[in-house]
């Protein structure tokens, strides 16, 4: 063994001894504090005997944690994520009880409920001690990672494994292009700032005529914006990005007359059906079909490696691999302890921030009580930790393509505002996760290209209800001449984290107001998706025309179009086809919107195109309503209880970002702005197929019934090559 290896072995032994010593002292301290935990006999023992009992107990607990714990977690992979996270503490306590039973002195005793506390504290202290020593010996830590990566590279080379770059796509949910740049300018995202460099940031702000020009080449990455569809929300954007089609996704939630069901993008059953439809339309499994991993997403992208993926959350059995991604995280019990402590800290942080906002009279403001602090803590701590750990595991496993969604910013911005200090602090923590993944990429068994993107932005503004004292449902009912309840029900939040929590608990996501449309067949179904509203009449099997609506409810369309909180209304006319209605009797056919934008004038370029595309969807609602928009301040009025919203047209919500390394080609290719999630999918697929990069099989366009493409239906593989990674 060389001198360097002897020194490394000596340092490793020193760390083991140090962690063991600290664990022993922790056990002694806890035995002195907790009445149900003792390390001596009833008649008393000498200090040396007690110290020996603690040392043996700490050593046995450490060995069991290292050897038995991974086996327990692997046996419990079918347990939901949150349940497993709670079960961790009880299993950890059981290991401590077993360690004390195995202690040769036979002196250690602890009550079962106290064992949970003792085990949690000891795991946290051991993890903190090991982490501190690793930080102090950063060179040794890096060498260890490098050796691990080198061993895997040698194994891959001997087995003919991949040597070409892999790609990690990291989605910062809800982060708009301008918000990202503002966070960089404020020093909140130093990693992104380093990647862009001064010239790159200047080009992205518009100081340079082309956001992806060579002037932005000072850093390692380039930044550009892309424009979402009218339905500016994760369901439509991520389905288009991962599966290449978001056709017939008019909103976050909508009513389908042919099935009599309300589709909700973040409901597991709906997500599975939307994924099936997209696969049937495109004829292939998705962006991640070739040795890919999907982490924290609504949809799988065709990946086999899955964790916290909503479209497979309802599946059961051995073939469901969604929870296999938890193993890398929960295999160390200290992770669960550390996350639990961060979870409680985040709950306290949210409670303090909401209290300050209420006492200071901050406006706009929405309620942040009830379960929201727990949901926010799940999104900003648990989901982030599990997803980042899974991505690190994917990179060390050398997987070809990884797509991960971090929903933390989106959840906080809905309730605190897109440019609030609360939201910027979340971006700061996400930037640290990005820096960690960049460090891991240095030691992965293959080179990795890290692409960061968002699915949409968020637009600020108070809620429709706050400004006018009634919700959209109330306004529609009033226009129909129906009674309006004094206390109208608030629409449920569309935040992705809420559905992820319920899926992780194996609880179905709630449906919206219209779960029993047959109960009152002549009453309209009103659904909200941010500042986009949809009205459907369930007793009419087809899309109602303007003339039919006017005959049934003469005042409805006029009431909606002339309300100051509504920007425009889309309906289908028997005489003129689809028309846009606005205040003052404005009525513009879609065919004339380019020349005469009318009510769409303030919504910017591309608004008419986006409305025209949605109008062509089979499940477009009878009435589509977009809220008022104020261009100067960029504000909209959400039909949900959110002060940062997305889902319709207006402001930052439709301007997402794409951040990519220089070695990848220009996504714009001299064609102007990226428009729509489907075009982003084509760019990402092209990047995966560029020289020295992996290839994604593209199946011939045909209709298939399932999500899985039969073997041989995609692009042919080279003979004797199990996976094709390069062109």
């Amino acid at each position: 063994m060389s001198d360097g290896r002897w020194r490394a072995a000596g340092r490793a032994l020193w760390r083991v001894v140090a962690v063991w010593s600290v664990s022993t002292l922790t056990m002694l301290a806890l035995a002195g504090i907790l009445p149900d935990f003792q390390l001596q006999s009833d008649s008393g023992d000498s200090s040396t005997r007690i110290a020996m009992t603690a040392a043996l107990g700490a050593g046995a607990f450490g060995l069991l944690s290292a050897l038995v714990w991974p086996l327990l977690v692997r046996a419990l992979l079918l347990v939901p994520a949150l349940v497993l996270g709670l079960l961790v503490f009880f299993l950890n306590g059981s290991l401590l009880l077993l360690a004390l039973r195995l202690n040769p002195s036979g002196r250690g005793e602890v009550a079962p409920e106290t064992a949970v506390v003792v085990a949690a504290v000891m795991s946290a202290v051991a993890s903190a001690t090991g982490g501190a020593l690793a930080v102090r010996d950063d060179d040794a830590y890096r060498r260890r990672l490098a050796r691990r990566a080198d061993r895997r590279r040698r194994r891959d080379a001997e087995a003919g494994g991949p040597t070409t770059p892999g790609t990690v796509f990291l989605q910062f949910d809800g982060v708009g292009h301008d918000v990202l740049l503002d966070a960089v300018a404020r020093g909140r995202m130093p990693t992104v700032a380093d990647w862009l460099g001064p010239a790159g940031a200047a080009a992205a702000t518009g100081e340079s005529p082309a956001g992806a020009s060579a002037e932005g080449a000072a850093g390692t990455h380039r930044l550009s914006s892309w424009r979402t569809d009218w339905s500016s929300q994760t369901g439509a954007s991520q389905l288009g990005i991962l599966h290449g089609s978001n056709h017939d996704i008019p909103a976050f939630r909508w009513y389908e007359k042919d099935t009599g069901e309300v589709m909700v993008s973040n409901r597991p059953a709906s997500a599975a059906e939307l994924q099936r439809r997209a696969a049937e339309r495109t004829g292939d499994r998705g962006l991640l079909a070739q040795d890919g991993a999907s982490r924290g997403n609504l949809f799988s992208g065709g990946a086999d490696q899955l964790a916290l993926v909503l479209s497979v959350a309802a599946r059961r059995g051995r073939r469901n691999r969604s929870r296999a991604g938890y193993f890398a995280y929960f295999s160390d019990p200290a992770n669960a302890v550390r996350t639990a402590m961060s979870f409680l800290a985040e709950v306290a942080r949210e409670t303090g921030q909401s209290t300050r906002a209420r006492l200071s009279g901050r406006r706009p403001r929405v309620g942040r009580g009830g379960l929201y602090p727990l949901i926010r803590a799940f999104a900003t701590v648990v989901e982030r930790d599990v997803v980042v750990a899974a991505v690190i595991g994917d990179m060390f496993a050398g997987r070809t393509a990884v797509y991960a969604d971090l929903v933390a910013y989106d959840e906080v911005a809905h309730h605190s505002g897109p440019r609030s200090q609360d939201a910027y602090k979340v971006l700061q923590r996400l930037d640290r996760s990005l820096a960690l993944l960049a460090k891991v990429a240095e030691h992965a068994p293959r080179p990795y290209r890290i692409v960061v993107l968002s699915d949409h932005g968020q637009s600020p503004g108070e809620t429709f209800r706050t400004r006018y004292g009634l919700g959209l449902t109330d306004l529609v009912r009033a226009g129909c001449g129906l009674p309006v309840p004094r206390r109208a029900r608030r629409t449920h939040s569309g935040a992705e984290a809420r559905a992820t929590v319920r899926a992780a608990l194996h609880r179905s996501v709630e449906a919206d107001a219209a779960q029993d449309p047959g109960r009152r067949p002549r009453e309209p179904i009103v659904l909200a998706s941010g500042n986009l509203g949809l009205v459907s009449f369930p007793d009419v099997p087809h899309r109602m025309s303007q003339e039919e609506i006017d005959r049934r409810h003469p005042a409805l369309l006029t009431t909606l179009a002339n309300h100051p909180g509504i920007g425009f209304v889309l309906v289908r006319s028997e005489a003129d086809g689809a028309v846009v209605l606005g205040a003052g009797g404005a009525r513009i056919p879609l065919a004339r919107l380019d020349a005469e934008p009318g009510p769409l004038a303030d919504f910017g370029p591309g608004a008419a195109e986006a409305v025209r595309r949605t109008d062509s969807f089979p499940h477009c609602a009878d009435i589509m309503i977009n809220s008022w928009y104020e261009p100067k301040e960029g504000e909209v009025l959400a039909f949900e209880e959110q002060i940062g919203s997305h889902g319709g047209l207006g402001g930052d919500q439709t301007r997402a970002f794409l951040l990519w390394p220089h070695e990848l080609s220009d996504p714009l290719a001299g064609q102007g702005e990226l428009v729509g999630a489907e075009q982003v999918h084509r760019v990402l697929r092209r990047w995966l197929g560029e020289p020295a990069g992996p290839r994604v099989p593209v199946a011939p366009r045909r209709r298939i019934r399932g999500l899985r493409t039969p073997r041989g239906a995609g692009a042919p593989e080279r003979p004797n090559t199990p996976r094709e990674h390069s062109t």
Side-chain angles (χ1 to χ4, degrees):
M1 184 180 292
S2 65
D3 291 342
R5 289 176 180 262
W6 278 112
R7 285 194 296 270
R11 281 192 292 265
L13 180 60
W14 157 246
R15 282 193 292 272
V16 170
V17 172
V19 171
W20 186 10
S21 301
V22 172
S23 298
T24 300
L25 293 174
T26 302
M27 183 173 282
L28 287 170
L30 292 173
I33 296 172
L34 301 174
D36 294 332
F37 181 33
Q38 65 179 26
L39 297 174
Q40 60 183 334
S41 64
D42 295 335
S43 59
D45 287 320
S46 65
S47 299
T48 303
R49 188 71 177 266
I50 295 173
M52 183 63 67
T53 301
L56 292 174
F61 179 67
L63 285 175
L64 289 173
S65 296
L67 300 177
V68 179
W69 183 260
L71 301 178
L72 289 175
V73 173
R74 190 173 291 279
L76 293 171
L77 285 181
L78 290 182
V79 175
L82 289 184
V83 176
L84 180 58
L86 297 175
L87 195 59
V88 159
F89 294 95
F90 298 101
L91 292 176
N92 213 16
S94 300
L95 289 182
L96 179 65
L97 287 171
L98 180 59
L100 294 177
R101 293 287 175 86
L102 295 175
N103 195 325
S105 70
R107 296 243 184 332
E109 291 184 6
V110 62
E113 61 274 14
T114 306
V116 173
V117 177
V118 175
V121 173
M122 290 186 62
S123 295
V125 170
S127 176
T129 304
L133 293 173
V135 169
R136 293 189 64 175
D137 192 10
D138 190 59
D139 290 339
Y141 175 69
R142 286 177 175 270
R143 284 196 298 270
R144 188 162 63 252
L145 289 178
R147 285 196 300 271
R148 177 180 173 185
D150 288 340
R151 285 195 297 268
R152 181 175 287 274
R153 286 192 189 99
R154 287 195 295 269
R155 289 198 301 268
D156 289 342
E158 293 171 0
T163 57
T164 55
T167 307
V168 173
F169 301 106
L170 197 64
Q171 178 179 303
F172 284 180
D173 204 299
V175 181
H177 175 269
D178 293 346
V179 166
L180 182 79
L181 286 176
D182 191 37
V184 169
R186 291 169 179 252
R188 295 286 191 174
M189 305 188 77
T191 304
V192 175
D194 289 343
W195 285 7
L196 284 175
T205 57
E207 296 178 17
S208 175
S213 69
E215 295 180 26
T220 60
H221 284 61
R222 291 179 287 179
L223 177 69
S224 179
S225 64
W226 68 274
R227 180 156 44 86
T228 69
D229 304 288
W230 187 4
S231 181
S232 54
Q233 46 85 20
T234 304
S237 292
Q238 197 178 87
L239 187 66
I241 292 171
L242 287 177
H243 289 276
S245 172
N246 59 3
H247 175 76
D248 203 18
I249 312 290
F252 187 81
R253 47 176 70 81
W254 67 95
Y255 176 68
E256 297 192 342
K257 293 188 174 185
D258 50 348
T259 62
E261 295 183 0
V262 173
M263 300 291 287
V264 185
S265 297
N266 67 356
R267 190 191 304 161
S270 297
E273 173 61 16
L274 296 178
Q275 183 172 307
R276 185 198 66 79
R277 293 179 187 179
E280 184 177 72
R281 183 175 179 84
T282 60
D284 68 72
R285 291 172 56 197
L287 184 73
L288 309 175
Q290 186 69 27
D291 189 30
S294 180
R295 310 300 189 186
N297 300 310
L298 294 182
F299 310 102
S300 73
D304 291 324
Q305 300 293 329
L306 309 167
L308 289 178
V309 175
L310 207 65
S311 63
V312 300
R315 298 182 187 177
R316 302 290 187 272
R318 294 177 179 273
R319 302 190 69 178
N320 177 17
R321 306 188 65 185
S322 179
R323 296 175 189 88
Y326 305 158
F327 179 77
Y329 182 73
F330 287 115
S331 59
D332 181 358
N335 285 340
V337 175
R338 199 163 46 242
T339 295
M341 296 171 64
S342 299
F343 183 93
L344 295 176
E346 187 68 16
V347 170
R349 184 181 295 113
E350 160 56 26
T351 302
Q353 291 172 350
S354 62
T355 300
R356 285 196 299 272
R358 186 171 60 254
L359 294 178
S360 64
R362 186 185 305 165
R363 298 291 179 186
R365 189 178 75 247
V366 293
R368 291 160 61 174
L371 292 177
Y372 172 68
L374 302 179
I375 294 172
R376 166 175 164 166
F378 175 85
T380 57
V381 176
V382 180
E383 195 266 355
R384 179 202 63 200
D385 287 355
V386 172
V387 168
V388 170
V391 173
I392 291 174
D394 293 329
M395 295 172 74
F396 277 127
R399 295 200 172 96
T400 300
V402 182
Y403 194 103
D405 184 13
L406 297 174
V407 303
Y409 170 85
D410 190 68
E411 181 64 36
V412 174
H414 276 312
H415 297 81
S416 300
R419 294 178 183 264
S420 65
Q421 289 302 311
D422 299 358
Y424 278 140
K425 288 178 182 177
V426 173
L427 286 178
Q428 191 169 3
R429 293 197 290 272
L430 291 180
D431 187 82
R432 288 201 291 267
S433 297
L434 190 60
L436 175 61
L437 294 178
K439 182 178 292 186
V440 170
E442 297 175 5
H443 305 287
R446 68 191 298 176
Y448 271 99
R449 304 176 294 197
I450 299 179
V451 175
V452 189
L453 73 161
S454 62
D455 49 346
H456 54 77
Q458 284 200 22
S459 296
E462 61 184 341
T463 70
F464 187 88
R465 182 187 299 275
T466 299
R467 178 166 294 190
Y468 299 108
L470 79 169
L472 180 63
T473 299
D474 307 329
L475 181 63
V476 171
R477 291 179 64 85
C480 293
L482 298 171
V484 177
R486 292 183 179 180
R487 298 185 65 182
R489 188 189 64 82
R490 292 182 177 182
T491 57
H492 289 288
S493 168
E496 291 80 357
R498 296 178 182 270
T500 309
V501 171
R502 293 185 178 93
L505 286 171
H506 285 177
R507 292 173 54 195
S508 61
V509 180
E510 79 279 6
D512 286 89
Q515 289 316 291
D516 187 9
R519 182 164 50 92
R520 294 180 178 177
R522 296 191 64 84
E523 291 189 5
I525 294 174
V526 183
L527 301 173
S529 297
N531 73 319
L532 178 64
L534 297 86
V535 181
S536 299
F537 296 90
D539 58 323
V540 179
H542 58 270
R543 183 177 174 186
M544 289 187 72
S545 67
Q546 179 184 9
E547 292 78 4
E548 288 176 305
I549 296 171
D550 285 340
R551 284 194 294 269
R552 175 182 285 197
H553 302 294
L556 176 58
L557 292 177
T558 301
T559 298
L560 294 174
N562 287 285
H563 192 280
I566 290 177
F568 65 89
V569 174
L570 171 69
V571 291
R572 181 70 62 85
S573 167
E574 296 173 2
D576 301 312
V579 296
V580 168
L581 309 179
R587 185 180 184 277
I588 313 295
L590 279 186
R592 298 212 317 263
L593 277 178
D594 292 327
E596 186 182 354
L600 268 65
D602 289 339
F603 290 87
E609 176 188 350
V611 171
R612 194 176 292 118
R613 180 174 185 262
T614 300
D615 174 72
S616 69
F617 291 164
H619 290 114
C620 184
D622 295 329
I623 306 174
M624 300 285 292
I625 305 166
N626 203 97
S627 86
W628 163 91
Y629 167 57
E630 204 286 303
K632 184 177 180 180
E633 300 297 331
E635 293 184 353
V636 300
L637 298 175
F639 298 128
E640 300 181 84
E641 293 304 300
Q642 301 169 350
I643 60 174
S645 66
H646 57 89
L649 290 175
D652 289 344
Q653 63 183 317
T654 61
R655 197 168 182 229
F657 77 87
L658 182 62
L659 179 70
W660 72 98
H662 281 294
E663 58 264 29
L664 296 173
S665 61
D666 184 350
L668 305 180
Q671 297 181 1
E673 185 181 18
L674 278 176
V675 178
E678 293 181 0
Q679 189 172 353
V680 175
H681 170 86
R682 289 191 288 271
V683 170
L684 302 190
R685 188 178 283 268
R686 187 183 79 215
W687 283 346
L688 290 177
E690 286 184 345
R695 175 181 297 170
V696 174
V698 181
R701 292 188 63 85
R702 58 184 182 84
R703 297 180 67 84
I704 59 176
R705 293 191 177 274
L707 292 178
R708 294 185 178 273
T709 303
R711 187 169 180 82
E717 296 183 354
R718 290 178 294 191
N720 304 321
T721 304
R723 288 192 180 107
E724 189 168 271
H725 294 281
S726 61
T727 56

